[in-house]
Amino acid sequence: MSETIHLQLESLFLMHYKDWCLLSYSYLNDKEEAEEIVQDVCAKILLKKKQDEILNLKAYIVVAIKNSCLKKIKTQQKFTTLSETEVDTNASNLEDNKPSLEEQTGQLLKIIEKLPQPAQKIFLRCVVDGEKYQEVADALGISINTVKYHIKSAYKKIRGEMVEFSVVFLFLLKIYRK
């Protein structure tokens, strides 16, 4: 570590610590977090391998503090949760708008009926009847990759058209076909 940078950092830290904490506080509105950000930035500079590349240490620290504060705010926003009343309201709205099980099963059957014949046949045999891909490929005289392709395209079509797709519907469809 360059001795000059070390002395310069120490001098700047002692001289501007309060200013940097105020800067950090202006973003975070939390004194302890503000101080922690300033200390972390200075510690990272001490541990930085290429310190000689820093041309203006004071400006570098100010920008690093701002960036660290913004990163902290962004992280906190990801974990901000809804209040309980908002959660309850949203949950009840979802329940009110949710189609019935019969409607969803009917929707799934219509989508499967709209699939191209080979995809429909392969999908029903593999997913609904539970046959293995290789068994279906052998029975139809096609490659296993063709079976996989049709299964993938069927799922894609179903997911694209079903608002509330669930594996439960495939189970219900299996029961319905018996």
Side-chain angles (χ1 to χ4, degrees):
M1 170 156 117
S2 171
E3 188 65 33
T4 310
I5 297 273
H6 178 71
L7 293 173
Q8 187 181 5
L9 178 62
E10 185 178 349
S11 172
L12 286 172
F13 184 81
L14 294 172
M15 191 181 319
H16 297 287
Y17 179 75
K18 287 182 182 178
D19 295 333
W20 293 339
C21 287
L22 286 173
L23 171 66
S24 181
Y25 182 81
S26 71
Y27 285 95
L28 303 174
N29 294 324
D30 185 311
K31 182 181 176 194
E32 290 176 8
E33 284 185 10
E35 290 176 348
E36 187 177 315
I37 292 285
V38 172
Q39 293 168 5
D40 284 348
V41 166
C42 291
K44 286 178 183 175
I45 292 171
L46 286 174
L47 298 173
K48 188 172 174 68
K49 293 191 188 292
K50 297 182 180 179
Q51 293 174 341
D52 296 334
E53 292 178 0
I54 302 172
L55 301 176
N56 184 341
L57 186 59
K58 184 178 175 186
Y60 182 90
I61 293 171
V62 169
V63 170
I65 289 170
K66 287 180 184 179
N67 290 340
S68 295
C69 289
L70 293 173
K71 186 175 180 181
K72 181 95 170 170
I73 291 168
K74 187 176 181 180
T75 303
Q76 287 173 342
Q77 287 175 346
K78 286 182 182 178
F79 295 108
T80 302
T81 58
L82 297 172
S83 70
E84 286 184 29
T85 56
E86 289 174 323
V87 170
D88 291 341
T89 304
N90 290 339
S92 65
N93 287 343
L94 286 175
E95 288 299 319
D96 294 342
N97 297 330
K98 189 175 180 182
S100 72
L101 193 57
E102 293 81 22
E103 291 172 335
Q104 292 173 341
T105 305
Q107 184 182 6
L108 179 61
L109 287 171
K110 286 178 186 173
I111 294 168
I112 291 173
E113 288 171 2
K114 288 194 285 184
L115 291 173
Q117 192 59 34
Q120 180 183 15
K121 183 185 234 181
I122 292 169
F123 182 81
L124 291 173
R125 288 182 75 162
C126 290
V127 177
V128 178
D129 297 337
E131 292 183 44
K132 297 190 183 303
Y133 289 3
Q134 190 63 56
E135 293 172 0
V136 173
D138 292 342
L140 298 176
I142 57 177
S143 75
I144 193 167
N145 287 334
T146 303
V147 172
K148 290 176 184 179
Y149 168 79
H150 285 296
I151 294 292
K152 183 178 176 181
S153 66
Y155 273 126
K156 187 175 181 179
K157 177 97 170 157
I158 291 169
R159 277 193 300 271
E161 292 193 27
M162 291 262 327
V163 177
E164 303 245 347
F165 177 72
S166 173
V167 176
V168 173
F169 300 116
L170 295 177
F171 176 73
L172 291 173
L173 183 62
K174 190 181 243 185
I175 292 171
Y176 176 79
R177 285 186 42 124
K178 287 185 179 179

